Amino acid sequence: MELDELKQTWSEHARKLDGILSLNLQGLKTAQLDKTRSALGRFKAFRFREMAVGIFVLVLLGSYIADRISIPTLAIPAFIVAVSFLVPVIANIRQLILLERISYADPVTTIQRKLGEIKLHYLRSFRLPVLMLPLYMAYVAVTFDLFFGIDIFANAKAGFLWANLAVSLIFVAPAVWVLRNLSFKNTDNPIIRALVHGNGGKQMVAALEF
């Protein structure tokens, strides 16, 4: 009889312990998901702000191109600049759609998979801006026209244009290097860290860690 009572007492203690562990595990999961939700909220805010700024700039560039459509030395650089803003806007819209698809009621592995997809898309969104580095003269041309009323491609001397072409070719090497090393694993490099963490990527890393 004493042995049966001991077994019964032991079973009750085991059930209570299982219940406590289950509650603790659920509490830990809830806390971590709350941290993930908070980090992704900040990441989403970055995407909204970047998208809003991009759309605003695109509207201005659209008006600029329309006014100078008959001047190729101004319209073409402006079109290149507009593309460099349009692609990130599209990327931000895509990332916001992916973020909306995350349900915190899903299993943790499902949330991790969706976060991994967003992380991959986030890194890919840097490709075009990096590739635009050798085309920096397009930005210079639009800036000079807006602030000084000078069409540098139409009025610059040949030596100036050839010098900037040489600089553009030199920029190809660092652009390729960044593309090859652009990864969350390489954030120990200050250049990669500035690119990835400085645009909401820090919040993405935090969400994945949580």
Side-chain angles (χ1 to χ4, degrees):
M1 187 67 179
E2 293 180 357
L3 181 59
D4 292 338
E5 291 178 353
L6 182 61
K7 288 181 178 180
Q8 184 177 358
T9 302
W10 180 261
S11 297
E12 290 176 357
H13 280 297
R15 284 195 298 271
K16 290 180 181 179
L17 181 60
D18 288 341
I20 293 173
L21 290 176
S22 179
L23 288 174
N24 287 340
L25 182 60
Q26 184 62 35
L28 178 62
K29 179 181 178 181
T30 301
Q32 293 301 94
L33 286 178
D34 286 342
K35 292 178 181 178
T36 300
R37 187 184 290 108
S38 177
L40 287 182
R42 295 192 297 274
F43 179 76
K44 185 184 294 186
F46 271 98
R47 304 281 67 78
F48 268 117
R49 285 197 295 269
E50 188 176 89
M51 181 181 68
V53 171
I55 292 174
F56 176 73
V57 173
L58 283 172
V59 171
L60 296 180
L61 284 170
S63 176
Y64 178 91
I65 294 171
D67 292 339
R68 294 161 177 80
I69 194 65
S70 61
I71 310 174
T73 51
L74 293 176
I76 294 176
F79 179 77
I80 293 173
V81 175
V83 171
S84 73
F85 279 91
L86 177 61
V87 172
V89 167
I90 295 173
N92 279 316
I93 293 173
R94 174 61 176 163
Q95 290 172 47
L96 288 170
I97 292 173
L98 292 174
L99 285 167
E100 289 299 320
R101 291 178 180 175
I102 293 178
S103 172
Y104 296 96
D106 289 339
V108 173
T109 53
T110 301
I111 297 175
Q112 288 176 330
R113 178 178 55 78
K114 292 180 179 180
L115 286 177
E117 185 180 356
I118 296 172
K119 183 183 75 171
L120 182 61
H121 195 278
Y122 172 74
L123 287 177
R124 287 175 176 172
S125 68
F126 283 100
R127 289 180 178 177
L128 181 66
V130 172
L131 289 172
M132 293 296 296
L133 183 61
L135 300 177
Y136 74 97
M137 279 302 295
Y139 301 90
V140 175
V142 173
T143 301
F144 265 72
D145 181 46
L146 285 174
F147 289 95
F148 307 109
I150 299 173
D151 184 347
I152 58 173
F153 283 119
N155 297 293
K157 295 181 179 179
F160 174 82
L161 295 176
W162 281 110
N164 280 280
L165 176 60
V167 174
S168 296
L169 293 175
I170 292 172
F171 278 156
V172 171
V176 171
W177 180 86
V178 171
L179 287 176
R180 293 185 62 182
N181 292 276
L182 191 60
S183 169
F184 282 96
K185 295 179 181 180
N186 295 328
T187 51
D188 55 328
N189 183 286
I191 296 175
I192 302 300
R193 183 170 59 251
L195 284 172
V196 174
H197 283 187
N199 194 38
K202 188 175 182 179
Q203 284 70 34
M204 173 58 64
V205 172
L208 285 165
E209 289 177 349
F210 292 141

